[in-house]
Amino acid sequence: MPAFIFEPTMDFFIPFLFVLAIVLGVLEFTLKNWSKPVKVVISLAIAFFAVSYPPFVATLWSYLPSITWFFIIMFFLVFIMEVFGIRKNHRVDKEAMIIQGAVLFILLGTGYFIVQNLPITTLPFIGNTENLIFLIGIIFILLLFWSAFKVGPEKQQK
């Protein structure tokens, strides 16, 4: 029976997917003329080599809760900018809206998982951390409905 080079557990996959997403996002943003398969192969190689270095993985796990909240806030701000048309070249696309909503709910679920392990018990004006996650979820849902309302039936027919 062949032996795996890596152990296929969450301790491997979470840092691997995180590094893959960050590197692929940076390559997509900076190298617009390159083909997408080349960027994916480069991202996969960098992610695999980064995760195979144990000090990097240990450091990433120690900073992952704060990094996750940073990306949740960044996605939330970009989503608000998309909904209200603040970004340049604003174009509402159904597929993009679905992907953004899915990413936001995945990040919200990750944030809820991390909040369960935080020592914070009470927050001013909100109560506990579960109320904070619930409030953020309600805001996400309302923003998704608002962006779907902005698309309108005439743009959905295309």
Side-chain angles (χ1 to χ4, degrees), residues 65 69 111 113-121 129:
W69 280 109
F113 176 73
I114 290 171
V115 161
Q116 296 297 320
N117 299 327
L118 286 178
I120 301 171
T121 56
T129 52

Side-chain angles (χ1 to χ4, degrees), residues 11 14-15 18-19 50-68:
D11 291 337
I14 290 175
F18 185 78
V19 171
V51 172
S52 63
Y53 184 59
F56 172 76
V57 174
T59 304
L60 184 62
W61 274 111
S62 67
Y63 289 116
L64 204 57
S66 57
I67 292 172
T68 304

Side-chain angles (χ1 to χ4, degrees), residues 69-88:
W69 280 109
F70 170 75
F71 281 109
I72 289 172
I73 291 168
M74 292 306 294
F75 276 114
F76 183 67
L77 291 175
V78 169
F79 187 71
I80 288 174
M81 290 170 63
E82 283 286 329
V83 167
F84 292 113
I86 297 172
R87 293 182 61 188
K88 294 179 184 177

Side-chain angles (χ1 to χ4, degrees), residues 3 27 39 42 46 61 67-68 85 88 100 117 128 131 156:
L27 290 177
K39 291 185 246 182
I42 291 171
I46 291 174
W61 274 111
I67 292 172
T68 304
K88 294 179 184 177
Q100 289 170 357
N117 299 327
N128 58 12
N131 291 348
Q156 290 177 355

